Amino acid sequence: MLSALYYPYMSIGSRDVLKNALLLWDKVEVIVPSLYVSLRRFERTWPSESKEEIKLLREAEDLVVSPRIPTGEEQVKAHKALEEMANTGELAALAQKKLPEENGVLFSVDSDKFLHETWDMLRRRKIVHWSGLRRDREVPPAIGLLLMSVLSDICAGTQIQMITDHAEAYAWLAKQRAGILGSQYVTGVNLCQVEPELDRLVALSLGVVGGQNIGLRELVDMRKREANGRTGDYRAMRHRYSKTLAAHVARIMKEARSEADLQELDRQFRDDVEQDFSDLMCELKVAGRNTLISGSVIVSTILAKGGVTEPIDGLAALALRVGVGIIPLVGAWNHYRGARRDVLKKHTMSWLFVAKQRLVCKF
């Protein structure tokens, strides 16, 4: 999966989700009503951030976040799923449940996201409240989370990864639904638990390359280079990294049944990415060494030995000073770039390595 769908809100209010989006996904969709004007209309405020930071956050959003309007078919599927829950009594029971630390504020949902029949069904069961003058419908928080989870699951289908920064609330919801239905809640298989797993794996892999301080600015710049690149190498590196993490999350969901299982799987993941990064660094050194000792750039040895003690601007000036000609030096540089590019294209950790180095050259 190379795309994601964020829920339950219409705008991403988490820096971590935005950072992961830039690191991993081609795009992140957010569900919006049919009459939306732009994401700007719905974006959350960041009261504690400076104007510069807000600008950066919006820049990140523009790169990866896109609106997703549910189709009529998807709304019909959501209605049928919710109607079945209503008929079994699950919705009524869930409406009585209170989220931990709930402050009594109702959950607002734009009416256009669901069919009129869906709202009418909820109204008849006294689950939804509205004055008739507003587009938003207000429901108990547990019901609001459920509504957006059902719709998001349908919109995501099988090829888009659902992500949320409300994993704890959705884990609580899953437990409540299991209790109402008389079934057992199994940790490790709920979709809401994917984002925390990704957060941990991203942190582990960033630690391997010493990239804990890579911030939004560096990632925004990386994605701009990817968008403007002519070769597609940046995207290929990001896809390789994203697929590696997705494969490990799938393994966690399938195999982890205890904290000890999770710790062992994390250890294996850390060992794998450490080995990949070590191999990457060794191969880059070999590529540089092979270029350094080639006949065309034997002048590098002269420079390293102190044969030229003054700064020389540009390859042309260097060629004149040493007397080897500009063409051999350009050829050697292109050879190095090609060898380096070939190495980077093979490794999972290349994406984070390039992000840390803040490279400006084109691969």
Side-chain angles (χ1 to χ4, degrees), residues 71-86:
T71 65
E73 181 182 357
E74 290 165 343
Q75 290 177 320
V76 169
K77 289 181 179 179
H79 175 76
K80 290 180 178 179
L82 293 167
E83 188 174 43
E84 183 177 348
M85 295 178 194

Side-chain angles (χ1 to χ4, degrees), residues 126-281:
K126 299 182 180 180
I127 294 176
V128 63
H129 310 276
W130 80 91
S131 66
L133 300 177
R134 297 178 54 194
R135 291 174 53 82
D136 289 352
R137 304 294 187 254
E138 294 184 333
V139 295
I143 297 296
L145 291 173
L146 178 64
L147 290 176
M148 292 311 304
S149 175
V150 168
L151 183 59
S152 298
D153 187 35
I154 292 169
C155 290
T158 61
Q159 298 303 307
I160 296 177
Q161 177 65 61
M162 293 170 59
I163 59 173
T164 182
D165 51 353
H166 289 66
E168 291 185 4
Y170 273 106
W172 173 87
L173 180 66
K175 290 178 182 178
Q176 299 305 312
R177 293 187 65 194
I180 292 171
L181 297 175
S183 58
Q184 183 179 3
Y185 172 71
V186 181
T187 300
V189 299
N190 196 281
L191 286 174
C192 70
Q193 296 162 343
V194 169
E195 186 66 20
E197 305 298 342
L198 286 174
D199 286 344
R200 193 177 65 258
L201 297 181
V202 166
L204 282 174
S205 51
L206 284 172
V208 169
V209 302
Q212 298 92 331
N213 294 326
I214 294 174
L216 274 180
R217 169 46 61 195
E218 290 75 30
L219 296 176
V220 164
D221 291 343
M222 286 281 290
R223 290 303 292 265
K224 285 183 177 180
R225 292 177 201 146
E226 175 185 318
N228 297 327
R230 292 176 294 179
T231 64
D233 289 349
Y234 273 77
R235 178 170 297 181
M237 286 189 286
R238 178 172 56 78
H239 283 180
R240 189 177 300 106
Y241 175 67
S242 179
K243 288 177 180 178
T244 297
L245 266 61
H248 193 75
V249 168
R251 187 182 177 195
I252 289 174
M253 295 297 183
K254 181 179 180 181
E255 300 180 16
R257 291 294 177 267
S258 67
E259 186 65 27
D261 291 341
L262 189 59
Q263 290 177 1
E264 173 59 20
L265 288 170
D266 280 355
R267 183 195 65 77
Q268 294 176 23
F269 175 80
R270 185 185 298 106
D271 286 350
D272 288 344
V273 294
E274 283 179 348
Q275 185 62 56
D276 181 82
F277 183 60
S278 176
D279 293 343
L280 168 65
M281 299 309 293

Side-chain angles (χ1 to χ4, degrees), residues 112-126:
D112 282 352
K113 291 183 178 180
F114 294 88
L115 295 176
H116 173 75
E117 290 81 356
T118 303
W119 294 119
D120 189 53
M121 175 194 68
L122 296 175
R123 180 186 58 80
R124 292 197 308 271
R125 288 169 169 78
K126 299 182 180 180

